[in-house]
Amino acid sequence: MNEFYEQLNRERENNRWTEWENHRSEITKLVHLATSHLPHQTSAIILGAGNCDDLDLISLIENYDNVALADVDFSAMMDAVRPLEMGMRMKIDLISTDFTKLDEINFYRNLQDLLDKKASAEHIVEFLDYCITQLGEIQILTHYKGTFQVVISSAVYTQLFYMNALQIFAPYVERYKQKEITTIMNGLLELRNVVIQNYNDLLTDLASPHAVIVVWSDVLKVSPDKSFMETVNSFPTDSGKIQFIMNEVKRNGRMEGMFGLQDMQNRFASHGRNFHYWIWPYSSKNHCLTFGISGRIRSLE
């Protein structure tokens, strides 16, 4: 799986840093708004840091005594922090980990083997159910539990497992009947939801008492011609804008992103929650509507 995410981090346009300036600014504002009430911010962790193209590291790090960056791609994080001044780098810990825990059970290799052998849809679903059980028994980053005052997640939901699994399954689709394809896809969706919920469990576990959690995700691919936001802004009220956006996401959105955000939103205390949206110019051909949320865990209210 490391190769998959390393490839994602390498797929970068030369002008990405410049093109993503507003995206980084929106993220920085989201984080600062969420954490402005904290009396003294000593520790933070950023999961899915990768090559940090979407993060204004200097602005984020200067407020803390220590910051952990976590990602499956350790070399990308190394490249991201290398240009920083020594004093800034001394604040940073780099953590290499697979948030999905799927590598620990050789999921991708085993799935590939089953597809190569044209295993039945029922056999594949049994394997997926077994994986769900195994994942529940694996704990990661346990020595960081309850450590951080601020827990930040980059756009991870749409990169966790599902896209990689679909790429593996795609060449074998023609070997199965439509009903079998539906059975396998439903099994993959169930595993996807569990992986996302497990990831949100991790975010929650990393948070110290009264900590703030900040999460964002791409939720909808939009045209680079700015027509989407022009339509949004044509509505005279905020409620009208939000209703239009939500309808579009329901029809054509990245459901893994929405599932993760909704699951986390349900964990937040009712007081102090924030929601924001903006356009992420991921590439010249692929722009994304992005949702950002923040709050405190309900049990700490």
Short mmCIF file of all heavy atoms in Angstrom, two decimals, residues 145-207:
data_model
loop_
_atom_site.label_atom_id
_atom_site.label_comp_id
_atom_site.label_asym_id
_atom_site.label_seq_id
_atom_site.Cartn_x
_atom_site.Cartn_y
_atom_site.Cartn_z
N LYS A 145 -1.90 8.04 23.04
CA LYS A 145 -3.30 8.20 23.44
C LYS A 145 -3.46 9.33 24.46
O LYS A 145 -2.74 9.41 25.45
CB LYS A 145 -3.83 6.89 24.03
CG LYS A 145 -5.31 6.93 24.37
CD LYS A 145 -5.81 5.57 24.80
CE LYS A 145 -7.30 5.59 25.09
NZ LYS A 145 -7.82 4.25 25.50
N GLY A 146 -4.42 10.22 24.21
CA GLY A 146 -4.71 11.31 25.13
C GLY A 146 -3.63 12.35 25.24
O GLY A 146 -3.56 13.08 26.23
N THR A 147 -2.78 12.48 24.21
CA THR A 147 -1.58 13.32 24.30
C THR A 147 -1.78 14.73 23.77
O THR A 147 -1.20 15.68 24.31
CB THR A 147 -0.43 12.66 23.52
OG1 THR A 147 -0.12 11.39 24.11
CG2 THR A 147 0.82 13.53 23.52
N PHE A 148 -2.60 14.92 22.76
CA PHE A 148 -2.57 16.16 22.00
C PHE A 148 -3.76 17.07 22.29
O PHE A 148 -4.90 16.63 22.35
CB PHE A 148 -2.53 15.85 20.50
CG PHE A 148 -1.32 15.06 20.10
CD1 PHE A 148 -1.41 13.68 19.92
CD2 PHE A 148 -0.09 15.67 19.95
CE1 PHE A 148 -0.30 12.94 19.56
CE2 PHE A 148 1.03 14.94 19.59
CZ PHE A 148 0.93 13.57 19.40
N GLN A 149 -3.47 18.36 22.44
CA GLN A 149 -4.52 19.35 22.65
C GLN A 149 -5.26 19.67 21.36
O GLN A 149 -6.42 20.10 21.39
CB GLN A 149 -3.92 20.64 23.21
CG GLN A 149 -3.44 20.53 24.65
CD GLN A 149 -2.89 21.86 25.11
OE1 GLN A 149 -2.02 22.43 24.46
NE2 GLN A 149 -3.38 22.36 26.23
N VAL A 150 -4.57 19.50 20.24
CA VAL A 150 -5.16 19.76 18.94
C VAL A 150 -4.87 18.58 18.03
O VAL A 150 -3.71 18.19 17.87
CB VAL A 150 -4.62 21.06 18.30
CG1 VAL A 150 -5.27 21.30 16.95
CG2 VAL A 150 -4.84 22.25 19.22
N VAL A 151 -5.92 17.99 17.49
CA VAL A 151 -5.78 16.86 16.56
C VAL A 151 -6.33 17.31 15.21
O VAL A 151 -7.49 17.69 15.11
CB VAL A 151 -6.55 15.62 17.07
CG1 VAL A 151 -6.45 14.49 16.05
CG2 VAL A 151 -6.00 15.18 18.42
N ILE A 152 -5.48 17.27 14.19
CA ILE A 152 -5.83 17.76 12.87
C ILE A 152 -5.73 16.62 11.87
O ILE A 152 -4.73 15.91 11.83
CB ILE A 152 -4.89 18.91 12.44
CG1 ILE A 152 -4.98 20.07 13.43
CG2 ILE A 152 -5.21 19.37 11.03
CD1 ILE A 152 -3.93 21.15 13.23
N SER A 153 -6.76 16.46 11.05
CA SER A 153 -6.72 15.46 9.99
C SER A 153 -6.82 16.15 8.64
O SER A 153 -7.77 16.88 8.37
CB SER A 153 -7.86 14.45 10.13
OG SER A 153 -7.92 13.62 8.98
N SER A 154 -5.84 15.91 7.79
CA SER A 154 -5.90 16.38 6.41
C SER A 154 -6.97 15.59 5.66
O SER A 154 -7.70 14.80 6.25
CB SER A 154 -4.53 16.23 5.77
OG SER A 154 -4.51 16.78 4.47
N ALA A 155 -7.05 15.79 4.35
CA ALA A 155 -8.09 15.14 3.54
C ALA A 155 -7.77 13.65 3.37
O ALA A 155 -7.30 13.22 2.32
CB ALA A 155 -8.21 15.83 2.20
N VAL A 156 -8.05 12.88 4.41
CA VAL A 156 -7.66 11.47 4.46
C VAL A 156 -8.79 10.53 4.03
O VAL A 156 -8.54 9.50 3.42
CB VAL A 156 -7.17 11.10 5.88
CG1 VAL A 156 -7.02 9.61 6.06
CG2 VAL A 156 -5.86 11.81 6.19
N TYR A 157 -10.03 10.88 4.35
CA TYR A 157 -11.14 9.94 4.15
C TYR A 157 -11.21 9.39 2.73
O TYR A 157 -11.46 8.19 2.54
CB TYR A 157 -12.48 10.62 4.47
CG TYR A 157 -12.65 11.05 5.90
CD1 TYR A 157 -13.11 12.33 6.20
CD2 TYR A 157 -12.37 10.19 6.95
CE1 TYR A 157 -13.29 12.74 7.51
CE2 TYR A 157 -12.53 10.60 8.27
CZ TYR A 157 -12.99 11.87 8.54
OH TYR A 157 -13.16 12.27 9.83
N THR A 158 -11.01 10.23 1.74
CA THR A 158 -11.14 9.78 0.35
C THR A 158 -9.92 9.03 -0.14
O THR A 158 -9.89 8.55 -1.28
CB THR A 158 -11.42 10.97 -0.58
OG1 THR A 158 -10.40 11.96 -0.41
CG2 THR A 158 -12.78 11.59 -0.27
N GLN A 159 -8.89 8.92 0.71
CA GLN A 159 -7.69 8.19 0.34
C GLN A 159 -7.53 6.88 1.12
O GLN A 159 -6.63 6.09 0.85
CB GLN A 159 -6.44 9.05 0.56
CG GLN A 159 -6.42 10.31 -0.28
CD GLN A 159 -5.17 11.15 -0.05
OE1 GLN A 159 -4.14 10.64 0.35
NE2 GLN A 159 -5.28 12.45 -0.29
N LEU A 160 -8.40 6.66 2.10
CA LEU A 160 -8.29 5.47 2.95
C LEU A 160 -8.85 4.24 2.23
O LEU A 160 -10.07 4.13 2.07
CB LEU A 160 -9.05 5.67 4.26
CG LEU A 160 -8.42 6.57 5.32
CD1 LEU A 160 -9.39 6.74 6.49
CD2 LEU A 160 -7.10 6.00 5.82
N PHE A 161 -8.00 3.36 1.78
CA PHE A 161 -8.39 2.02 1.35
C PHE A 161 -9.22 1.93 0.08
O PHE A 161 -8.86 1.23 -0.87
CB PHE A 161 -9.13 1.31 2.50
CG PHE A 161 -10.10 0.25 2.07
CD1 PHE A 161 -9.65 -0.97 1.60
CD2 PHE A 161 -11.46 0.46 2.13
CE1 PHE A 161 -10.53 -1.95 1.18
CE2 PHE A 161 -12.36 -0.51 1.73
CZ PHE A 161 -11.89 -1.72 1.25
N TYR A 162 -10.35 2.67 0.01
CA TYR A 162 -11.38 2.37 -0.98
C TYR A 162 -10.90 2.57 -2.42
O TYR A 162 -11.10 1.71 -3.27
CB TYR A 162 -12.61 3.24 -0.71
CG TYR A 162 -13.85 2.80 -1.44
CD1 TYR A 162 -14.34 1.50 -1.28
CD2 TYR A 162 -14.55 3.68 -2.26
CE1 TYR A 162 -15.50 1.09 -1.94
CE2 TYR A 162 -15.70 3.27 -2.91
CZ TYR A 162 -16.16 1.97 -2.76
OH TYR A 162 -17.31 1.57 -3.41
N MET A 163 -10.25 3.68 -2.68
CA MET A 163 -9.78 3.95 -4.04
C MET A 163 -8.76 2.90 -4.48
O MET A 163 -8.78 2.42 -5.61
CB MET A 163 -9.16 5.36 -4.10
CG MET A 163 -8.70 5.79 -5.48
SD MET A 163 -8.40 7.57 -5.58
CE MET A 163 -7.28 7.83 -4.21
N ASN A 164 -7.88 2.53 -3.57
CA ASN A 164 -6.89 1.50 -3.87
C ASN A 164 -7.55 0.15 -4.13
O ASN A 164 -7.20 -0.56 -5.08
CB ASN A 164 -5.91 1.40 -2.70
CG ASN A 164 -4.65 0.62 -3.05
OD1 ASN A 164 -4.43 0.25 -4.20
ND2 ASN A 164 -3.82 0.38 -2.06
N ALA A 165 -8.53 -0.20 -3.30
CA ALA A 165 -9.23 -1.49 -3.46
C ALA A 165 -9.97 -1.55 -4.79
O ALA A 165 -9.98 -2.59 -5.46
CB ALA A 165 -10.19 -1.70 -2.30
N LEU A 166 -10.60 -0.45 -5.19
CA LEU A 166 -11.32 -0.42 -6.46
C LEU A 166 -10.37 -0.59 -7.64
O LEU A 166 -10.70 -1.25 -8.63
CB LEU A 166 -12.10 0.88 -6.61
CG LEU A 166 -13.29 1.08 -5.67
CD1 LEU A 166 -14.01 2.39 -6.00
CD2 LEU A 166 -14.27 -0.08 -5.75
N GLN A 167 -9.19 0.00 -7.54
CA GLN A 167 -8.20 -0.16 -8.60
C GLN A 167 -7.75 -1.61 -8.73
O GLN A 167 -7.50 -2.10 -9.84
CB GLN A 167 -6.99 0.75 -8.34
CG GLN A 167 -7.27 2.22 -8.57
CD GLN A 167 -6.04 3.09 -8.37
OE1 GLN A 167 -4.94 2.59 -8.14
NE2 GLN A 167 -6.22 4.39 -8.48
N ILE A 168 -7.65 -2.31 -7.60
CA ILE A 168 -7.27 -3.72 -7.63
C ILE A 168 -8.39 -4.56 -8.22
O ILE A 168 -8.15 -5.48 -9.03
CB ILE A 168 -6.93 -4.21 -6.21
CG1 ILE A 168 -5.64 -3.53 -5.72
CG2 ILE A 168 -6.78 -5.73 -6.16
CD1 ILE A 168 -5.32 -3.82 -4.26
N PHE A 169 -9.64 -4.25 -7.88
CA PHE A 169 -10.79 -5.04 -8.32
C PHE A 169 -11.14 -4.81 -9.78
O PHE A 169 -11.60 -5.72 -10.49
CB PHE A 169 -11.98 -4.72 -7.43
CG PHE A 169 -13.24 -5.49 -7.76
CD1 PHE A 169 -13.19 -6.86 -8.03
CD2 PHE A 169 -14.46 -4.85 -7.81
CE1 PHE A 169 -14.34 -7.57 -8.34
CE2 PHE A 169 -15.62 -5.55 -8.11
CZ PHE A 169 -15.55 -6.91 -8.39
N ALA A 170 -10.91 -3.59 -10.28
CA ALA A 170 -11.37 -3.20 -11.62
C ALA A 170 -10.98 -4.17 -12.74
O ALA A 170 -11.83 -4.51 -13.57
CB ALA A 170 -10.88 -1.78 -11.94
N PRO A 171 -9.74 -4.66 -12.82
CA PRO A 171 -9.37 -5.55 -13.93
C PRO A 171 -10.08 -6.91 -13.90
O PRO A 171 -10.04 -7.64 -14.88
CB PRO A 171 -7.86 -5.74 -13.74
CG PRO A 171 -7.41 -4.59 -12.89
CD PRO A 171 -8.56 -4.31 -11.99
N TYR A 172 -10.73 -7.24 -12.78
CA TYR A 172 -11.35 -8.55 -12.63
C TYR A 172 -12.88 -8.50 -12.74
O TYR A 172 -13.54 -9.54 -12.63
CB TYR A 172 -10.98 -9.15 -11.26
CG TYR A 172 -9.49 -9.33 -11.07
CD1 TYR A 172 -8.71 -8.31 -10.53
CD2 TYR A 172 -8.86 -10.52 -11.42
CE1 TYR A 172 -7.34 -8.47 -10.35
CE2 TYR A 172 -7.50 -10.69 -11.23
CZ TYR A 172 -6.75 -9.65 -10.71
OH TYR A 172 -5.39 -9.82 -10.54
N VAL A 173 -13.43 -7.30 -12.91
CA VAL A 173 -14.88 -7.14 -12.89
C VAL A 173 -15.56 -8.03 -13.92
O VAL A 173 -16.62 -8.65 -13.65
CB VAL A 173 -15.26 -5.66 -13.11
CG1 VAL A 173 -16.75 -5.53 -13.41
CG2 VAL A 173 -14.90 -4.83 -11.89
N GLU A 174 -14.99 -8.14 -15.11
CA GLU A 174 -15.64 -8.90 -16.19
C GLU A 174 -15.71 -10.40 -15.89
O GLU A 174 -16.45 -11.12 -16.56
CB GLU A 174 -14.89 -8.66 -17.50
CG GLU A 174 -15.01 -7.23 -18.01
CD GLU A 174 -14.33 -7.04 -19.35
OE1 GLU A 174 -13.71 -8.01 -19.84
OE2 GLU A 174 -14.41 -5.93 -19.90
N ARG A 175 -15.00 -10.86 -14.90
CA ARG A 175 -15.05 -12.28 -14.54
C ARG A 175 -16.29 -12.62 -13.72
O ARG A 175 -16.58 -13.80 -13.49
CB ARG A 175 -13.81 -12.67 -13.74
CG ARG A 175 -12.48 -12.51 -14.48
CD ARG A 175 -11.35 -13.05 -13.63
NE ARG A 175 -10.05 -12.92 -14.30
CZ ARG A 175 -8.91 -13.41 -13.82
NH1 ARG A 175 -8.94 -14.07 -12.65
NH2 ARG A 175 -7.78 -13.25 -14.46
N TYR A 176 -16.99 -11.59 -13.25
CA TYR A 176 -18.12 -11.82 -12.34
C TYR A 176 -19.42 -11.32 -12.96
O TYR A 176 -19.44 -10.37 -13.74
CB TYR A 176 -17.87 -11.09 -11.00
CG TYR A 176 -16.70 -11.65 -10.22
CD1 TYR A 176 -15.42 -11.13 -10.40
CD2 TYR A 176 -16.88 -12.70 -9.33
CE1 TYR A 176 -14.34 -11.65 -9.69
CE2 TYR A 176 -15.81 -13.22 -8.62
CZ TYR A 176 -14.54 -12.69 -8.81
OH TYR A 176 -13.47 -13.20 -8.11
N LYS A 177 -20.52 -11.97 -12.57
CA LYS A 177 -21.84 -11.53 -12.98
C LYS A 177 -22.23 -10.29 -12.18
O LYS A 177 -21.65 -10.00 -11.13
CB LYS A 177 -22.86 -12.65 -12.75
CG LYS A 177 -22.58 -13.91 -13.56
CD LYS A 177 -23.58 -15.01 -13.23
CE LYS A 177 -23.28 -16.27 -14.02
NZ LYS A 177 -24.24 -17.37 -13.70
N GLN A 178 -23.24 -9.57 -12.68
CA GLN A 178 -23.63 -8.32 -12.05
C GLN A 178 -24.01 -8.51 -10.58
O GLN A 178 -23.64 -7.70 -9.73
CB GLN A 178 -24.79 -7.68 -12.81
CG GLN A 178 -25.17 -6.29 -12.29
CD GLN A 178 -24.01 -5.32 -12.31
OE1 GLN A 178 -23.36 -5.15 -13.32
NE2 GLN A 178 -23.74 -4.70 -11.17
N LYS A 179 -24.74 -9.57 -10.28
CA LYS A 179 -25.13 -9.82 -8.89
C LYS A 179 -23.91 -10.05 -8.02
O LYS A 179 -23.85 -9.61 -6.86
CB LYS A 179 -26.08 -11.03 -8.82
CG LYS A 179 -26.62 -11.29 -7.43
CD LYS A 179 -27.61 -12.45 -7.44
CE LYS A 179 -28.16 -12.72 -6.04
NZ LYS A 179 -29.13 -13.84 -6.03
N GLU A 180 -22.91 -10.76 -8.56
CA GLU A 180 -21.69 -11.02 -7.80
C GLU A 180 -20.89 -9.72 -7.59
O GLU A 180 -20.33 -9.50 -6.51
CB GLU A 180 -20.83 -12.05 -8.54
CG GLU A 180 -21.46 -13.42 -8.64
CD GLU A 180 -20.65 -14.35 -9.53
OE1 GLU A 180 -20.18 -13.89 -10.60
OE2 GLU A 180 -20.49 -15.53 -9.15
N ILE A 181 -20.87 -8.89 -8.62
CA ILE A 181 -20.18 -7.60 -8.49
C ILE A 181 -20.81 -6.77 -7.39
O ILE A 181 -20.12 -6.17 -6.56
CB ILE A 181 -20.22 -6.84 -9.84
CG1 ILE A 181 -19.41 -7.60 -10.90
CG2 ILE A 181 -19.69 -5.42 -9.67
CD1 ILE A 181 -19.57 -7.03 -12.30
N THR A 182 -22.16 -6.76 -7.38
CA THR A 182 -22.87 -6.01 -6.34
C THR A 182 -22.54 -6.55 -4.96
O THR A 182 -22.33 -5.77 -4.01
CB THR A 182 -24.39 -6.08 -6.58
OG1 THR A 182 -24.69 -5.52 -7.86
CG2 THR A 182 -25.15 -5.32 -5.50
N THR A 183 -22.48 -7.87 -4.83
CA THR A 183 -22.15 -8.49 -3.54
C THR A 183 -20.75 -8.08 -3.08
O THR A 183 -20.55 -7.71 -1.91
CB THR A 183 -22.22 -10.02 -3.64
OG1 THR A 183 -23.56 -10.40 -3.97
CG2 THR A 183 -21.82 -10.69 -2.34
N ILE A 184 -19.79 -8.13 -3.98
CA ILE A 184 -18.42 -7.75 -3.63
C ILE A 184 -18.34 -6.26 -3.30
O ILE A 184 -17.69 -5.87 -2.31
CB ILE A 184 -17.46 -8.10 -4.79
CG1 ILE A 184 -17.39 -9.62 -4.98
CG2 ILE A 184 -16.06 -7.53 -4.53
CD1 ILE A 184 -16.64 -10.06 -6.22
N MET A 185 -18.99 -5.42 -4.08
CA MET A 185 -18.96 -3.99 -3.84
C MET A 185 -19.57 -3.64 -2.49
O MET A 185 -19.07 -2.77 -1.77
CB MET A 185 -19.68 -3.25 -4.96
CG MET A 185 -18.95 -3.27 -6.29
SD MET A 185 -17.34 -2.45 -6.22
CE MET A 185 -17.84 -0.77 -5.85
N ASN A 186 -20.65 -4.32 -2.15
CA ASN A 186 -21.27 -4.08 -0.84
C ASN A 186 -20.31 -4.47 0.29
O ASN A 186 -20.25 -3.80 1.33
CB ASN A 186 -22.57 -4.86 -0.72
CG ASN A 186 -23.69 -4.25 -1.55
OD1 ASN A 186 -23.64 -3.09 -1.93
ND2 ASN A 186 -24.71 -5.04 -1.83
N GLY A 187 -19.58 -5.56 0.08
CA GLY A 187 -18.59 -5.97 1.08
C GLY A 187 -17.47 -4.96 1.22
O GLY A 187 -17.02 -4.64 2.34
N LEU A 188 -17.01 -4.42 0.09
CA LEU A 188 -15.96 -3.39 0.12
C LEU A 188 -16.47 -2.12 0.79
O LEU A 188 -15.73 -1.46 1.54
CB LEU A 188 -15.49 -3.09 -1.29
CG LEU A 188 -14.68 -4.19 -1.99
CD1 LEU A 188 -14.43 -3.83 -3.45
CD2 LEU A 188 -13.35 -4.43 -1.28
N LEU A 189 -17.73 -1.77 0.54
CA LEU A 189 -18.31 -0.58 1.17
C LEU A 189 -18.39 -0.74 2.69
O LEU A 189 -18.12 0.20 3.44
CB LEU A 189 -19.70 -0.30 0.59
CG LEU A 189 -19.74 0.33 -0.79
CD1 LEU A 189 -21.17 0.36 -1.32
CD2 LEU A 189 -19.17 1.74 -0.77
N GLU A 190 -18.77 -1.94 3.12
CA GLU A 190 -18.84 -2.18 4.57
C GLU A 190 -17.45 -2.05 5.20
O GLU A 190 -17.30 -1.43 6.27
CB GLU A 190 -19.42 -3.56 4.85
CG GLU A 190 -19.59 -3.84 6.34
CD GLU A 190 -20.23 -5.19 6.62
OE1 GLU A 190 -20.60 -5.89 5.65
OE2 GLU A 190 -20.36 -5.54 7.81
N LEU A 191 -16.45 -2.62 4.54
CA LEU A 191 -15.10 -2.51 5.06
C LEU A 191 -14.63 -1.05 5.03
O LEU A 191 -13.98 -0.58 5.96
CB LEU A 191 -14.15 -3.40 4.26
CG LEU A 191 -12.67 -3.37 4.66
CD1 LEU A 191 -12.48 -3.68 6.14
CD2 LEU A 191 -11.86 -4.33 3.80
N ARG A 192 -14.97 -0.34 3.96
CA ARG A 192 -14.62 1.08 3.87
C ARG A 192 -15.15 1.86 5.06
O ARG A 192 -14.43 2.65 5.69
CB ARG A 192 -15.19 1.68 2.59
CG ARG A 192 -14.87 3.15 2.38
CD ARG A 192 -15.86 3.81 1.44
NE ARG A 192 -17.17 3.98 2.07
CZ ARG A 192 -18.23 4.52 1.45
NH1 ARG A 192 -18.14 4.89 0.19
NH2 ARG A 192 -19.38 4.64 2.09
N ASN A 193 -16.42 1.64 5.40
CA ASN A 193 -17.03 2.36 6.51
C ASN A 193 -16.35 2.03 7.83
O ASN A 193 -16.15 2.91 8.67
CB ASN A 193 -18.52 2.05 6.58
CG ASN A 193 -19.29 2.63 5.41
OD1 ASN A 193 -18.78 3.45 4.65
ND2 ASN A 193 -20.53 2.21 5.24
N VAL A 194 -15.98 0.77 8.01
CA VAL A 194 -15.30 0.37 9.24
C VAL A 194 -13.92 1.02 9.33
O VAL A 194 -13.51 1.51 10.39
CB VAL A 194 -15.19 -1.16 9.33
CG1 VAL A 194 -14.26 -1.58 10.47
CG2 VAL A 194 -16.57 -1.79 9.52
N VAL A 195 -13.19 1.05 8.21
CA VAL A 195 -11.88 1.67 8.19
C VAL A 195 -11.99 3.15 8.55
O VAL A 195 -11.19 3.67 9.33
CB VAL A 195 -11.21 1.50 6.80
CG1 VAL A 195 -9.98 2.39 6.66
CG2 VAL A 195 -10.82 0.04 6.58
N ILE A 196 -12.99 3.84 8.01
CA ILE A 196 -13.18 5.26 8.31
C ILE A 196 -13.56 5.46 9.77
O ILE A 196 -13.04 6.36 10.45
CB ILE A 196 -14.24 5.86 7.38
CG1 ILE A 196 -13.69 5.94 5.95
CG2 ILE A 196 -14.66 7.25 7.85
CD1 ILE A 196 -14.72 6.39 4.92
N GLN A 197 -14.46 4.64 10.28
CA GLN A 197 -14.84 4.75 11.69
C GLN A 197 -13.65 4.46 12.61
O GLN A 197 -13.47 5.14 13.63
CB GLN A 197 -15.99 3.79 12.00
CG GLN A 197 -17.32 4.23 11.38
CD GLN A 197 -18.39 3.16 11.51
OE1 GLN A 197 -18.12 1.97 11.45
NE2 GLN A 197 -19.64 3.59 11.66
N ASN A 198 -12.84 3.48 12.25
CA ASN A 198 -11.64 3.20 13.03
C ASN A 198 -10.68 4.39 13.02
O ASN A 198 -10.03 4.70 14.03
CB ASN A 198 -10.92 1.96 12.48
CG ASN A 198 -11.64 0.67 12.79
OD1 ASN A 198 -12.56 0.63 13.62
ND2 ASN A 198 -11.25 -0.40 12.13
N TYR A 199 -10.59 5.04 11.87
CA TYR A 199 -9.73 6.22 11.77
C TYR A 199 -10.25 7.34 12.68
O TYR A 199 -9.46 8.00 13.38
CB TYR A 199 -9.66 6.69 10.32
CG TYR A 199 -8.86 7.95 10.13
CD1 TYR A 199 -7.46 7.94 10.26
CD2 TYR A 199 -9.48 9.16 9.82
CE1 TYR A 199 -6.73 9.10 10.07
CE2 TYR A 199 -8.75 10.32 9.64
CZ TYR A 199 -7.38 10.29 9.76
OH TYR A 199 -6.64 11.44 9.59
N ASN A 200 -11.55 7.56 12.68
CA ASN A 200 -12.12 8.56 13.58
C ASN A 200 -11.93 8.18 15.04
O ASN A 200 -11.76 9.05 15.90
CB ASN A 200 -13.60 8.78 13.26
CG ASN A 200 -13.81 9.65 12.04
OD1 ASN A 200 -12.88 10.30 11.55
ND2 ASN A 200 -15.03 9.66 11.51
N ASP A 201 -11.99 6.89 15.33
CA ASP A 201 -11.67 6.42 16.69
C ASP A 201 -10.25 6.84 17.07
O ASP A 201 -9.98 7.24 18.21
CB ASP A 201 -11.79 4.90 16.79
CG ASP A 201 -13.23 4.41 16.73
OD1 ASP A 201 -14.15 5.21 16.97
OD2 ASP A 201 -13.43 3.20 16.46
N LEU A 202 -9.33 6.71 16.11
CA LEU A 202 -7.94 7.09 16.36
C LEU A 202 -7.84 8.58 16.65
O LEU A 202 -7.15 8.98 17.61
CB LEU A 202 -7.08 6.73 15.15
CG LEU A 202 -5.62 7.18 15.19
CD1 LEU A 202 -4.88 6.49 16.33
CD2 LEU A 202 -4.93 6.89 13.85
N LEU A 203 -8.51 9.41 15.86
CA LEU A 203 -8.50 10.85 16.12
C LEU A 203 -8.98 11.15 17.53
O LEU A 203 -8.40 11.98 18.25
CB LEU A 203 -9.38 11.58 15.10
CG LEU A 203 -9.02 11.48 13.61
CD1 LEU A 203 -9.99 12.31 12.79
CD2 LEU A 203 -7.60 11.89 13.35
N THR A 204 -10.04 10.49 17.91
CA THR A 204 -10.61 10.70 19.24
C THR A 204 -9.65 10.23 20.33
O THR A 204 -9.46 10.91 21.35
CB THR A 204 -11.94 9.94 19.36
OG1 THR A 204 -12.83 10.36 18.33
CG2 THR A 204 -12.59 10.19 20.71
N ASP A 205 -9.03 9.08 20.13
CA ASP A 205 -8.11 8.53 21.13
C ASP A 205 -6.88 9.41 21.34
O ASP A 205 -6.32 9.48 22.44
CB ASP A 205 -7.65 7.13 20.72
CG ASP A 205 -8.74 6.09 20.86
OD1 ASP A 205 -9.74 6.36 21.56
OD2 ASP A 205 -8.62 5.01 20.25
N LEU A 206 -6.43 10.08 20.29
CA LEU A 206 -5.24 10.92 20.38
C LEU A 206 -5.48 12.21 21.14
O LEU A 206 -4.54 12.85 21.63
CB LEU A 206 -4.72 11.25 18.98
CG LEU A 206 -4.17 10.08 18.16
CD1 LEU A 206 -3.91 10.52 16.71
CD2 LEU A 206 -2.88 9.53 18.77
N ALA A 207 -6.76 12.60 21.26
CA ALA A 207 -7.11 13.88 21.86
C ALA A 207 -7.03 13.82 23.39
O ALA A 207 -7.53 12.89 24.02
CB ALA A 207 -8.51 14.29 21.44
#
